[in-house]
Amino acid sequence: MWLLLLVVFLSGCTVVIKDREPISQRERERATGSLRAYCPSKIETVGFYCTGNRAYSNLVQAGSRVRVYSQSTGKSVTIAIYRRDDINGVCVPERFEPLLGKAPFRAVLEVERCGVDGNTVCPPVIRGMASWYGEPHHGRESSYGIIFDKDGMYAAHRELPLGTLLRVRNLKNGKEVEVKVIDRGPFKEGRVLDLSEGAARKLGMIGDGEVPVEAVVLRCGD
């Protein structure tokens, strides 16, 4: 009798084994100890012209060396392209119109170098000493291609892809701030980050000049 009841009980129990949820690219990168900037080798888009000597796009890392090919004329130019999120496509200097044709033109971007120096990898976390910079650099053009504002939330790092977003914590007082990497530096041995004066103020490190920090990578590159 007891054996019969046991058989009936077990037959009514169903064990369901679910597949694991797919691992996202970011989770996979964190598991392997690094993150990567988005760097496609070829992009089809629309091209047009802008004043000045710089090319801009919302599709590539800041400072990337790119061959811009016009499907209208079959000709191309190779130029450094800087990041601007308000440019939908690619904007090249007006002097290239005789070569690439009337705007808008169908363009193919072939990325020859991703970013200003080809760096595409970010560690998930950075730890070390951070300093800050301000007035002498205020109003100058950054490596990212925008004007440095000492009161903005910016940072300099020697190797991170420009455009990388960091959440920086002052390990002395626990204060945090989010910053964007727009410059190269610091070049003094023993320091891992140079923070803008505005970011340093939020971290409460102005008086210290140099503090231990932990920086978490929120986004690698643009």
Side-chain angles (χ1 to χ4, degrees):
M1 181 65 179
W2 286 109
L3 180 60
L4 178 61
L5 290 174
L6 179 61
V7 171
V8 171
F9 173 76
L10 290 176
S11 64
C13 295
T14 303
V15 178
V16 178
I17 301 175
K18 293 185 178 180
D19 291 335
R20 291 184 60 187
E21 292 294 324
I23 300 175
S24 69
Q25 180 65 22
R26 180 170 290 272
E27 289 172 335
R28 187 177 296 109
E29 289 172 340
R30 287 192 181 278
T32 57
S34 65
L35 301 169
R36 287 194 174 273
Y38 173 69
C39 292
S41 59
K42 184 176 288 188
I43 306 166
E44 292 191 13
T45 187
V46 61
F48 51 97
Y49 301 101
C50 46
T51 58
N53 296 315
R54 284 267 176 99
Y56 299 97
S57 178
N58 64 341
L59 302 172
V60 298
Q61 300 294 326
S64 293
R65 181 176 175 82
V66 178
R67 177 176 177 256
V68 181
Y69 172 78
S70 170
Q71 292 183 322
S72 302
T73 65
K75 297 182 179 180
S76 66
V77 298
T78 300
I79 191 170
I81 295 182
Y82 288 82
R83 182 82 180 193
R84 268 183 51 183
D85 289 333
D86 62 326
I87 300 294
N88 189 19
V90 61
C91 170
V92 297
E94 293 172 324
R95 68 178 185 274
F96 293 122
E97 184 174 350
L99 191 66
L100 302 178
K102 296 291 184 182
F105 60 89
R106 290 184 301 158
V108 177
L109 309 183
E110 297 178 358
V111 179
E112 297 180 353
R113 183 196 64 222
C114 187
V116 296
D117 42 24
N119 292 343
T120 61
V121 178
C122 299
V125 181
I126 299 164
R127 297 181 181 90
M129 301 301 292
S131 50
W132 62 272
Y133 66 122
E135 190 57 47
H137 301 272
H138 183 68
R140 297 182 183 179
E141 186 176 67
S142 66
S143 301
Y144 186 75
I146 63 174
I147 300 301
F148 173 68
D149 178 0
K150 66 183 180 65
D151 297 315
M153 298 298 109
Y154 299 123
H157 188 273
R158 287 188 292 271
E159 298 176 351
L160 287 175
L162 297 179
T164 294
L165 291 183
L166 302 173
R167 183 173 66 243
V168 182
R169 182 161 63 99
N170 182 343
L171 296 180
K172 286 186 66 177
N173 58 23
K175 292 183 178 180
E176 294 185 345
V177 67
E178 290 187 14
V179 296
K180 187 173 189 176
V181 177
I182 64 167
D183 263 320
R184 288 295 177 233
F187 299 108
K188 184 173 181 179
E189 189 175 353
R191 295 177 182 175
V192 297
L193 280 178
D194 236 353
L195 298 162
S196 63
E197 183 177 335
R201 194 176 297 113
K202 286 201 169 187
L203 287 175
M205 60 174 284
I206 294 292
D208 293 308
E210 183 180 274
V211 296
V213 298
E214 179 182 83
V216 176
V217 175
L218 302 178
R219 185 189 70 206
C220 187
D222 276 309

Short mmCIF file of all heavy atoms in Angstrom, two decimals, residues 15-38:
data_model
loop_
_atom_site.label_atom_id
_atom_site.label_comp_id
_atom_site.label_asym_id
_atom_site.label_seq_id
_atom_site.Cartn_x
_atom_site.Cartn_y
_atom_site.Cartn_z
N VAL A 15 9.66 17.69 -12.73
CA VAL A 15 10.83 18.54 -12.56
C VAL A 15 11.06 19.31 -13.85
O VAL A 15 11.24 18.71 -14.91
CB VAL A 15 12.09 17.71 -12.21
CG1 VAL A 15 13.30 18.62 -12.07
CG2 VAL A 15 11.85 16.92 -10.94
N VAL A 16 11.04 20.65 -13.77
CA VAL A 16 11.22 21.51 -14.94
C VAL A 16 12.60 22.13 -14.88
O VAL A 16 12.96 22.78 -13.91
CB VAL A 16 10.16 22.62 -15.00
CG1 VAL A 16 10.40 23.52 -16.21
CG2 VAL A 16 8.77 22.01 -15.03
N ILE A 17 13.38 21.88 -15.92
CA ILE A 17 14.71 22.47 -16.02
C ILE A 17 14.67 23.55 -17.09
O ILE A 17 14.41 23.27 -18.26
CB ILE A 17 15.76 21.41 -16.37
CG1 ILE A 17 15.78 20.32 -15.30
CG2 ILE A 17 17.14 22.04 -16.53
CD1 ILE A 17 16.70 19.17 -15.62
N LYS A 18 14.91 24.80 -16.68
CA LYS A 18 14.86 25.92 -17.62
C LYS A 18 16.26 26.24 -18.13
O LYS A 18 17.24 26.16 -17.41
CB LYS A 18 14.28 27.17 -16.93
CG LYS A 18 12.81 27.04 -16.57
CD LYS A 18 12.31 28.37 -16.01
CE LYS A 18 10.82 28.28 -15.69
NZ LYS A 18 10.32 29.57 -15.15
N ASP A 19 16.31 26.60 -19.42
CA ASP A 19 17.58 27.07 -19.97
C ASP A 19 17.93 28.40 -19.33
O ASP A 19 17.05 29.20 -18.99
CB ASP A 19 17.46 27.27 -21.49
CG ASP A 19 17.33 25.94 -22.20
OD1 ASP A 19 17.78 24.93 -21.63
OD2 ASP A 19 16.77 25.92 -23.32
N ARG A 20 19.21 28.67 -19.18
CA ARG A 20 19.64 29.95 -18.64
C ARG A 20 19.32 31.06 -19.64
O ARG A 20 19.32 30.86 -20.85
CB ARG A 20 21.15 29.93 -18.39
CG ARG A 20 21.56 29.03 -17.25
CD ARG A 20 23.04 29.13 -17.01
NE ARG A 20 23.42 30.49 -16.65
CZ ARG A 20 24.67 30.89 -16.51
NH1 ARG A 20 25.65 30.06 -16.71
NH2 ARG A 20 24.94 32.14 -16.18
N GLU A 21 19.06 32.24 -19.10
CA GLU A 21 18.84 33.38 -19.98
C GLU A 21 20.11 33.66 -20.76
O GLU A 21 21.22 33.47 -20.26
CB GLU A 21 18.48 34.61 -19.13
CG GLU A 21 17.12 34.53 -18.44
CD GLU A 21 15.98 34.52 -19.44
OE1 GLU A 21 16.10 35.22 -20.48
OE2 GLU A 21 15.00 33.81 -19.21
N PRO A 22 19.97 34.09 -22.03
CA PRO A 22 21.16 34.40 -22.82
C PRO A 22 22.02 35.45 -22.11
O PRO A 22 21.52 36.41 -21.54
CB PRO A 22 20.57 34.96 -24.12
CG PRO A 22 19.18 34.42 -24.18
CD PRO A 22 18.72 34.32 -22.76
N ILE A 23 23.32 35.27 -22.16
CA ILE A 23 24.23 36.22 -21.54
C ILE A 23 24.45 37.39 -22.49
O ILE A 23 24.77 37.20 -23.66
CB ILE A 23 25.58 35.54 -21.22
CG1 ILE A 23 25.37 34.37 -20.26
CG2 ILE A 23 26.58 36.52 -20.64
CD1 ILE A 23 26.61 33.56 -19.99
N SER A 24 24.27 38.59 -21.98
CA SER A 24 24.45 39.77 -22.81
C SER A 24 25.92 39.95 -23.12
O SER A 24 26.80 39.41 -22.45
CB SER A 24 23.93 41.02 -22.10
OG SER A 24 24.74 41.34 -20.99
N GLN A 25 26.20 40.74 -24.18
CA GLN A 25 27.59 41.01 -24.55
C GLN A 25 28.34 41.67 -23.40
O GLN A 25 29.50 41.35 -23.13
CB GLN A 25 27.63 41.90 -25.80
CG GLN A 25 29.03 42.26 -26.27
CD GLN A 25 29.81 41.05 -26.75
OE1 GLN A 25 29.24 40.03 -27.10
NE2 GLN A 25 31.13 41.17 -26.76
N ARG A 26 27.69 42.64 -22.72
CA ARG A 26 28.34 43.33 -21.61
C ARG A 26 28.67 42.36 -20.48
O ARG A 26 29.76 42.41 -19.91
CB ARG A 26 27.44 44.46 -21.10
CG ARG A 26 28.05 45.24 -19.93
CD ARG A 26 27.23 46.46 -19.63
NE ARG A 26 27.36 47.44 -20.68
CZ ARG A 26 28.33 48.36 -20.73
NH1 ARG A 26 29.24 48.41 -19.78
NH2 ARG A 26 28.39 49.23 -21.70
N GLU A 27 27.72 41.44 -20.16
CA GLU A 27 27.98 40.46 -19.11
C GLU A 27 29.12 39.53 -19.50
O GLU A 27 29.95 39.17 -18.68
CB GLU A 27 26.71 39.65 -18.82
CG GLU A 27 25.62 40.44 -18.12
CD GLU A 27 24.33 39.67 -18.04
OE1 GLU A 27 24.11 38.78 -18.90
OE2 GLU A 27 23.53 39.93 -17.13
N ARG A 28 29.15 39.15 -20.78
CA ARG A 28 30.22 38.27 -21.26
C ARG A 28 31.57 38.97 -21.15
O ARG A 28 32.57 38.38 -20.75
CB ARG A 28 29.94 37.88 -22.71
CG ARG A 28 30.90 36.83 -23.26
CD ARG A 28 30.56 36.43 -24.68
NE ARG A 28 29.26 35.76 -24.73
CZ ARG A 28 28.17 36.30 -25.27
NH1 ARG A 28 28.21 37.52 -25.77
NH2 ARG A 28 27.04 35.64 -25.28
N GLU A 29 31.61 40.25 -21.52
CA GLU A 29 32.85 41.01 -21.45
C GLU A 29 33.31 41.16 -20.01
O GLU A 29 34.50 41.03 -19.70
CB GLU A 29 32.67 42.37 -22.11
CG GLU A 29 32.55 42.27 -23.63
CD GLU A 29 32.17 43.58 -24.27
OE1 GLU A 29 31.63 44.46 -23.55
OE2 GLU A 29 32.39 43.75 -25.47
N ARG A 30 32.36 41.46 -19.11
CA ARG A 30 32.74 41.61 -17.70
C ARG A 30 33.28 40.29 -17.15
O ARG A 30 34.21 40.28 -16.34
CB ARG A 30 31.55 42.10 -16.88
CG ARG A 30 31.22 43.57 -17.12
CD ARG A 30 30.26 44.10 -16.09
NE ARG A 30 29.92 45.49 -16.34
CZ ARG A 30 30.67 46.52 -15.98
NH1 ARG A 30 31.81 46.31 -15.35
NH2 ARG A 30 30.30 47.75 -16.24
N ALA A 31 32.68 39.18 -17.59
CA ALA A 31 33.12 37.87 -17.10
C ALA A 31 34.55 37.57 -17.56
O ALA A 31 35.31 36.91 -16.85
CB ALA A 31 32.18 36.78 -17.59
N THR A 32 34.93 38.07 -18.73
CA THR A 32 36.28 37.83 -19.24
C THR A 32 37.24 38.93 -18.82
O THR A 32 38.41 38.90 -19.18
CB THR A 32 36.26 37.74 -20.78
OG1 THR A 32 35.70 38.95 -21.32
CG2 THR A 32 35.43 36.56 -21.24
N GLY A 33 36.74 39.93 -18.07
CA GLY A 33 37.64 40.92 -17.49
C GLY A 33 37.86 42.17 -18.31
O GLY A 33 38.76 42.94 -18.00
N SER A 34 37.08 42.41 -19.37
CA SER A 34 37.26 43.63 -20.15
C SER A 34 35.99 43.99 -20.90
O SER A 34 35.10 43.16 -21.09
CB SER A 34 38.41 43.46 -21.15
OG SER A 34 38.08 42.46 -22.11
N LEU A 35 35.89 45.26 -21.29
CA LEU A 35 34.80 45.77 -22.11
C LEU A 35 35.40 46.31 -23.40
O LEU A 35 36.58 46.68 -23.43
CB LEU A 35 34.05 46.88 -21.37
CG LEU A 35 33.44 46.51 -20.02
CD1 LEU A 35 32.98 47.78 -19.30
CD2 LEU A 35 32.27 45.56 -20.20
N ARG A 36 34.60 46.37 -24.45
CA ARG A 36 35.12 46.87 -25.72
C ARG A 36 34.24 47.99 -26.28
O ARG A 36 33.03 47.94 -26.15
CB ARG A 36 35.21 45.74 -26.76
CG ARG A 36 36.34 44.78 -26.48
CD ARG A 36 36.62 43.88 -27.66
NE ARG A 36 37.79 43.06 -27.41
CZ ARG A 36 39.03 43.44 -27.67
NH1 ARG A 36 39.26 44.62 -28.19
NH2 ARG A 36 40.05 42.64 -27.41
N ALA A 37 34.90 48.95 -26.89
CA ALA A 37 34.18 50.04 -27.56
C ALA A 37 33.54 49.50 -28.84
O ALA A 37 34.05 48.55 -29.45
CB ALA A 37 35.14 51.17 -27.89
N TYR A 38 32.44 50.12 -29.23
CA TYR A 38 31.73 49.72 -30.45
C TYR A 38 32.51 50.24 -31.65
O TYR A 38 32.64 51.44 -31.85
CB TYR A 38 30.31 50.30 -30.42
CG TYR A 38 29.54 50.08 -31.70
CD1 TYR A 38 29.13 48.81 -32.09
CD2 TYR A 38 29.21 51.17 -32.53
CE1 TYR A 38 28.41 48.62 -33.25
CE2 TYR A 38 28.48 50.97 -33.69
CZ TYR A 38 28.09 49.71 -34.06
OH TYR A 38 27.39 49.52 -35.22
#
